[in-house]
């Protein structure tokens, strides 16, 4: 129950940060070395950083042992799925897969929270 509350708090924090004015997104860069199975989307480095911090705070077991790039890849993958027009249930199922970390994996509620947080940043 507390993980879901933490996820909601993280989503609220991210939303507040986005509303406070993050600046112009036109300076984002493309990583051409990415070889994800699904289409990838361009994600602003500032937004990716906010996602990493929020993810680590809300889902410590899922983030444990992962570097920032691996956590940011969850956002990139999710944004790619959204941009490709995947349905919300399919995207959430993809999040469950991409967040697997050893024996820990996101619950459906956690994946839904990650989806909502990502949707704000794509």
């Amino acid at each position: 129950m507390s993980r879901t509350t933490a996820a909601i708090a993280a989503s609220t924090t991210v939303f507040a940060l986005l509303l406070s004015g993050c600046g112009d997104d036109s300076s984002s860069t493309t990583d051409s070395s990415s070889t994800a199975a699904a289409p990838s989307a361009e994600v602003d480095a500032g937004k990716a950083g906010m996602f990493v911090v929020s993810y680590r705070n809300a889902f410590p077991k899922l983030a444990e042992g992962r570097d920032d790039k691996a956590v940011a890849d969850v956002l990139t993958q999710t944004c790619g799925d959204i941009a490709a027009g995947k349905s919300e249930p399919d995207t959430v199922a993809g999040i469950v897969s991409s967040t697997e970390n050893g024996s820990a994996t996101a619950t459906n509620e956690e994946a839904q929270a990650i989806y909502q947080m990502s949707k704000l940043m794509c």
Side-chain angles (χ1 to χ4, degrees), residues 31-88:
D31 181 9
S32 61
S33 65
S34 177
T35 57
S40 63
E42 219 173 289
V43 178
D44 178 80
K47 289 180 181 180
M50 284 190 294
F51 178 85
V52 168
V53 170
S54 297
Y55 185 94
R56 287 191 184 285
N57 287 326
F59 313 107
K61 288 184 180 181
L62 298 176
E64 187 176 327
R66 289 184 154 189
D67 63 9
D68 289 350
K69 183 184 178 331
V71 173
D73 284 347
V74 173
L75 174 64
T76 303
Q77 177 78 29
T78 304
C79 289
D81 289 349
I82 291 169
K86 276 193 174 180
S87 69
E88 183 173 330

Side-chain angles (χ1 to χ4, degrees), residues 16 20 22 34 40 46 58 63 68 70 72-74 79 91 103 108 112-113 117:
S20 69
C22 296
S34 177
S40 63
D68 289 350
D73 284 347
V74 173
C79 289
T91 303
S103 64
N108 219 21
Q112 186 67 42
M117 191 167 46

